[in-house]
Amino acid sequence: MSNTEKTVAILGNGVVGTTLAKGFAALGYQVIFGTRDVRSAKTRAALDAVPGARAASFAEASSASGIAVLAVPWSGLEAAIFTAGPDNLAGKLVIDPSNPLDFAGEVPQLAIPATDSAGELVQRLLPESQVVKAFNIVTAAHMVQPRLADGTPDMLIAGNDAGAKARVAQILKGFGWRAPIDVGPIGASRLLESLAMLWVIYGVRNDHWTHAFSVLGQKR
Ligand SMILES: NC(=O)c1ccc[n+]([C@@H]2O[C@H](COP(=O)([O-])OP(=O)(O)OC[C@H]3O[C@@H](n4cnc5c(N)ncnc54)[C@H](OP(=O)(O)O)[C@@H]3O)[C@@H](O)[C@H]2O)c1
């Protein structure tokens, strides 16, 4: 495996970016945080949380890495991709944990109609990349080494490229997940983003934010 393949660009240094960065670092990946400001307090906090990581511009992080993670809010997703540069991500695995959420009202809503999804948008903007929707259906706290008292959660993934999904399955295994459930091509992101919305609704109605989904009676 080349150095680039074992290097991951974490685009976004918030809670998801920092959590996944820690997971990748524990698997032996070199982590490069892509950030709008390498000197910000937020970037420093992310670097402190992930020993060995460094910070760079979105473009530099993307070009130096074999994998990129789009850990940015819906409002900044398109801008982050253009700043990273589609050419810098061409031929690479791009993991999309984002959810297109609109926080304007009392309860968050999906920001786009069910005839499209953030996952599909990302794949359209990055036609030369292998985009895999993953991690969007759980809270950041459970993205790595998920532990729930009453059962084993499942990760559901979607993407057009079987090889890219197999790589994500390997990463998930390293993060302590059982084999992910592949729900199909990137268009199935519509289902996964709606499932995330269901997760949010459960959270709002119960004021409880640590739940996760599990599929029982799976084919073995
Ligand atoms: N939080 C969760 O538990 C969770 C679970 C599942 C999925 N997700 C999804 O994961 C994604 C990241 O969530 P998060 O909770 O980590 O968000 P967050 O804590 O708000 O972090 C967002 C990061 O994106 C950067 N950012 C914000 N606007 C940007 C823009 N216009 N261009 C480039 N970068 C921008 C921020 O950088 P600055 O420091 O410069 O502001 C920050 O580093 C979201 O799409 C969210 O829906 C979150």
Side-chain angles (χ1 to χ4, degrees):
M1 204 177 265
S2 72
N3 283 344
T4 315
E5 276 176 74
K6 265 288 198 179
T7 303
V8 59
I10 304 286
L11 306 179
N13 54 20
V15 60
V16 170
T18 304
T19 301
L20 294 179
K22 280 190 214 166
F24 277 104
L27 295 184
Y29 283 80
Q30 166 69 52
V31 170
I32 310 177
F33 281 105
T35 169
R36 294 184 287 185
D37 180 357
V38 290
R39 275 180 279 278
S40 75
K42 214 168 170 184
T43 302
R44 275 202 310 278
L47 291 173
D48 286 347
V50 188
R54 67 182 178 92
S57 69
F58 275 49
E60 197 198 319
S62 301
S63 95
S65 303
I67 302 176
V69 179
L70 295 167
V72 292
W74 167 246
S75 55
L77 186 64
E78 213 165 330
I81 289 171
F82 284 119
T83 312
D87 287 350
N88 291 324
L89 295 169
K92 298 179 179 177
L93 168 61
V94 174
I95 299 174
D96 171 26
S98 73
N99 281 312
L101 296 180
D102 173 358
F103 291 97
E106 210 170 294
V107 174
Q109 303 285 333
L110 279 177
I112 45 177
T115 49
D116 199 5
S117 62
E120 288 165 279
L121 172 73
V122 171
Q123 185 65 83
R124 282 198 298 275
L125 295 175
L126 299 172
E128 306 297 326
S129 305
Q130 289 84 49
V131 178
V132 177
K133 189 93 202 169
F135 296 106
N136 74 306
I137 57 162
V138 283
T139 180
H142 290 321
M143 286 181 182
V144 180
Q145 304 299 343
R147 295 279 173 270
L148 286 99
D150 54 351
T152 307
D154 282 302
M155 183 60 73
L156 279 63
I157 64 172
N160 296 340
D161 188 278
K165 286 191 279 195
R167 288 176 74 193
V168 171
Q170 267 307 111
I171 292 163
L172 284 165
K173 190 176 177 191
F175 285 7
W177 290 87
R178 59 185 177 189
I181 296 170
D182 178 355
V183 295
I186 198 66
S189 298
R190 295 174 194 183
L191 302 175
L192 298 187
E193 292 166 17
S194 290
L195 193 54
M197 196 58 232
L198 194 60
W199 186 94
V200 169
I201 294 299
Y202 182 92
V204 169
R205 292 182 65 83
N206 295 284
D207 191 19
H208 177 87
W209 302 99
T210 53
H211 50 297
F213 295 112
S214 181
V215 177
L216 303 178
Q218 289 180 39
K219 185 176 177 184
R220 295 287 172 205

